[in-house]
Amino acid sequence: MGKSPFKKATIIFCFVMALMALGWGRAEAQVPDFGLGSIVPFKSLQTFFGPLFPSTCIGDTFRSEFGMGLSSPLFDRITLSGKEINGNPVSLNLLNNLPTTPPDPTSTAGWDPSVMSQSLDGGPVVYDLFAKFRAWRFAGKVDYSIFEARSRRADGSGFFFDSVILTGDVDIIQGPWLTAGGRLQFYLNQPYFKFNLGIPFSGLANGGFDHFDKIYFSADAPWTIGAYIRYVPPEILGFPVHFDAYADFPLKGSPLKTYGVAFVFRPQIYRFDLFTKLKLERTTFTISADLTSNNTNSPTSSTWSLDMLWNLYGAEFGIYF
């Protein structure tokens, strides 16, 4: 007859229970030291970080959010940079607030009417659909964002950044009125840029830029690492609200940096409660790639980049489950 598979498990269980009985102190709400209070200062840690264990079953901490967002990024900068065939640097302002005449009639450097006519929309509308799932201190979010800044010409030119975004949060500090933590964001789709030149640019020497009659490139999808803080004050005029502040920094791929704040009208987080979030973000983003000219006689490769800066104003509307 073989050995009982439960014998070893029973011995271990009895040993653990004995240790817990020997080390158990007085019972305190939400401060389970499990006999390790003399080794790990749970009470001191919880004073700063908040409860380290759920006060009830962890299943009670499951919460989901579903919603949509509408926002508008107002661009401060959209600059296309590269080099002519002869090696001279080129920097073109593609923001659609360019004047119809040169700011200084005696100097037309960096200005060209054909560029102005193909400038990009400086205030497009961005659409978001999102779902967020939370368990205790951890949260995961799936977001589908439609972000397109198109040319004022109907030629398909523009900056396109439609992407699925995965976000993971962890609350490091979880107090009754203040929460702070860190997060990672992963963009699963590459941003790309398309710009049809159409005609040679008079402001560029020797027509060298004409060898790039169409500029099209995609860049690496950005990954970011960031931090957030949430302040939940008492109700203001009878309305439960909270304030968010967050910042995300480049981790991998195309450099994307964002600073943001949000004001949230929130319910008491019961099932099927609605919420509204008003947000403001400032973002810098650069995408770049190596391009080869279409001059078959002397093809030349150079690096082109699109440098952008925008302030995003928006709102999100959702429901808790």
Side-chain angles (χ1 to χ4, degrees):
M1 182 174 179
K3 294 182 179 180
S4 171
F6 302 102
K7 183 177 180 180
K8 186 176 181 180
T10 302
I11 295 174
I12 294 176
F13 176 77
C14 293
F15 180 71
V16 171
M17 292 299 294
L19 286 179
M20 291 175 61
L22 291 173
W24 191 265
R26 65 181 182 277
E28 297 183 17
Q30 298 185 17
V31 191
D33 60 14
F34 299 108
L36 301 177
S38 60
I39 302 175
V40 181
F42 283 104
K43 188 173 182 179
S44 299
L45 290 175
Q46 291 184 135
T47 301
F48 183 76
F49 294 103
L52 300 180
F53 300 94
S55 57
T56 58
C57 175
I58 192 172
D60 295 336
T61 68
F62 293 162
R63 189 172 74 249
S64 301
E65 305 171 16
F66 298 94
M68 66 173 295
L70 295 173
S71 54
S72 179
L74 301 182
F75 283 89
D76 283 346
R77 181 175 69 243
I78 309 177
T79 303
L80 176 65
S81 302
K83 288 186 178 181
E84 297 180 74
I85 297 301
N86 58 17
N88 293 328
V90 175
S91 182
L92 303 177
N93 184 354
L94 301 185
L95 192 59
N96 68 353
N97 60 2
L98 285 173
T100 55
T101 57
D104 181 2
T106 62
S107 176
T108 60
W111 179 91
D112 190 281
S114 60
V115 178
M116 192 278 294
S117 68
Q118 296 189 85
S119 58
L120 305 187
D121 184 0
V125 177
V126 176
Y127 304 90
D128 291 278
L129 297 173
F130 63 86
K132 188 172 186 178
F133 308 92
R134 173 171 290 279
W136 188 227
R137 291 176 178 260
F138 303 93
K141 183 180 180 182
V142 181
D143 192 320
Y144 178 64
S145 176
I146 302 174
F147 189 148
E148 299 179 354
R150 294 180 175 271
S151 168
R152 291 192 294 174
R153 273 187 167 183
D155 59 359
S157 296
F159 166 69
F160 303 90
F161 194 21
D162 301 344
S163 181
V164 175
I165 308 168
L166 303 181
T167 305
D169 297 350
V170 57
D171 295 344
I172 299 174
I173 298 174
Q174 193 180 70
W177 58 271
L178 181 69
T179 299
R183 68 179 184 180
L184 294 173
Q185 280 192 322
F186 307 95
Y187 291 77
L188 302 187
N189 301 87
Q190 294 180 321
Y192 69 92
F193 173 69
K194 181 180 179 182
F195 190 59
N196 294 321
L197 301 179
I199 60 175
F201 284 75
S202 60
L204 303 175
N206 303 323
F209 197 68
D210 185 35
H211 289 287
F212 289 98
D213 58 356
K214 179 185 294 184
I215 294 179
Y216 175 87
F217 61 87
S218 60
D220 293 335
W223 291 10
T224 64
I225 184 171
Y228 59 88
I229 186 170
R230 178 179 300 114
Y231 173 61
V232 185
E235 293 184 354
I236 298 178
L237 299 178
F239 292 97
V241 299
H242 70 252
F243 302 89
D244 289 340
Y246 47 92
D248 297 295
F249 303 94
L251 179 64
K252 183 181 178 182
S254 300
L256 174 67
K257 183 186 298 182
T258 298
Y259 303 95
V261 293
F263 179 65
V264 185
F265 296 91
R266 60 169 182 80
Q268 297 301 322
I269 314 183
Y270 299 120
R271 299 289 192 231
F272 306 106
D273 276 338
L274 303 177
F275 68 89
T276 300
K277 175 188 288 187
L278 305 178
K279 62 181 182 179
L280 167 63
E281 297 179 354
R282 185 169 179 82
T283 299
T284 58
F285 190 33
T286 301
I287 62 175
S288 61
D290 292 329
L291 298 179
T292 301
S293 71
N294 58 4
N295 186 344
T296 57
N297 294 325
S298 58
T300 302
S301 177
S302 62
T303 299
W304 289 83
S305 63
L306 187 70
D307 181 34
M308 294 163 287
L309 170 65
W310 67 79
N311 294 317
L312 183 142
Y313 304 87
E316 293 181 358
F317 311 93
I319 183 170
Y320 290 106
F321 283 91

